[in-house]
Structures are given as C-alpha cells and as structure tokens.
Amino acid sequence: MLEYISVRLETMYPYIEAAFRGDAKLCSEYHISCGDTSSCSAHTHNRILDFINSTKGVLTYAILDKWKEVGFVVLHKQLGILYSFGLNIAHRNTENKEQLLKFVSDSLNGEVKTYLYDRNKPAINFLLKNGYEIQGEMMDNNDKEIILNQKQCQ
C-alpha cells in the first residue's frame, strides 16, 4: 500500500523525478515538453512552482512505497483541482492507481477537475475508465488541454 505524505514544494523534485524514471514513452511522447527524465521532471517542477506562486491553497504530496519515492500529487482544495500527478511505471498497477484516485477524490471531497494535454492519451483514458468525463477542451499556447471532471454519484 502506498503512502501519501504532505511535503513542501522545495522537497518535491525527487518525487517528480521518480514518477518519470523508467518511462521513456511518457517522456518522449506524452509529456508536454518531450525529452528525457531530467528535462520532463524539471519542466513539471517549474510548472508546479508557477502554479503555486500564482495561487494560494496548493497542496503537494509525495507518494512513497516503503519509504521509496514513487510519485507525487498536486491539488488545489478550494478549487477542486487535481493540478498534477505522477506514479512510477513500476507502481502503476490497478490497486495503486485506484488508491491514487481515491486519495485525490477524498482530499477534494469528491469534486475533482483536472486538465490534461490531449497528447497524454494513457492518462486521459485511465481517468475516463475510472469515473471521469470530458467537460470540454481549451488551448494552452499551441497545445490542446482536455478538461475532465469526476462524475458525481446521483
């Protein structure tokens, strides 16, 4: 079972890098700044830093497996936004992915919105298969983002 630990942004880089480590396809095809593990990690860290500097109330979490860094989650509780997340490829089994979604949903009181670049088809498909629906799309510079919301139980 994975552990989710609240951390400061200054200490998040190893967790971000752990999420990319060993996943060449994520780095070369699905990430917005295609490159190697180091460049994707740095880009993600900088985008999270920009988000934190532009708004208050951002929560950052490390994901650990037996005290080993395996990923991260960035949330904005008041806005109900899952801003960024990553889980190391070796830990992307069904149980861990479901646990990640439950952690996010519980942390945001079941009202989750996220924005994913349309090139990240695996993450979009994962969310669609696990209770999310597409609400729309928008452009971020020249890149299309898909807006997804967690479906609400009736």
Side-chain angles (χ1 to χ4, degrees):
M1 184 160 193
L2 301 178
E3 292 184 75
Y4 293 78
I5 308 294
S6 179
V7 294
R8 293 187 330 263
L9 176 66
E10 301 83 42
T11 64
M12 276 204 57
Y13 189 84
Y15 306 101
I16 295 169
E17 187 175 46
F20 287 101
R21 195 175 304 123
D23 194 346
K25 202 165 191 173
L26 172 62
C27 294
S28 67
E29 292 182 34
Y30 304 130
H31 193 267
I32 192 64
S33 71
C34 295
D36 61 11
T37 298
S38 180
S39 66
C40 288
S41 300
H43 181 269
T44 299
H45 187 261
N46 289 335
R47 292 290 293 256
I48 293 168
L49 183 59
D50 290 345
F51 182 62
I52 287 173
N53 288 333
S54 69
T55 187
K56 301 232 185 279
V58 178
L59 306 172
T60 52
Y61 297 91
I63 306 174
L64 302 164
D65 182 17
K66 298 181 182 123
W67 297 104
K68 179 181 177 189
E69 300 104 346
V70 298
F72 69 97
V73 177
V74 179
L75 307 171
H76 193 293
K77 190 165 182 137
Q78 291 83 359
L79 299 176
I81 293 175
L82 168 57
Y83 181 75
S84 189
F85 66 99
L87 186 61
N88 183 273
I89 192 168
H91 291 79
R92 287 184 208 147
N93 60 50
T94 301
E95 179 183 347
N96 287 343
K97 292 188 296 186
E98 288 175 354
Q99 183 187 356
L100 184 140
L101 290 182
K102 182 171 178 4
F103 173 80
V104 169
S105 182
D106 290 351
S107 296
L108 298 178
N109 300 318
E111 304 216 4
V112 183
K113 178 181 280 190
T114 192
Y115 303 79
L116 294 173
Y117 290 104
D118 73 332
R119 73 172 65 191
N120 194 348
K121 302 287 189 225
I124 293 168
N125 290 332
F126 166 67
L127 291 174
L128 290 173
K129 288 177 187 173
N130 287 280
Y132 285 71
E133 57 191 355
I134 294 175
Q135 293 297 307
E137 55 187 58
M138 61 186 224
M139 295 301 290
D140 178 21
N141 295 319
N142 292 324
D143 297 295
K144 184 169 37 170
E145 283 187 306
I146 306 299
I147 305 165
L148 297 116
N149 281 7
Q150 183 179 24
K151 292 179 191 174
Q152 298 302 307
C153 296
Q154 299 297 328

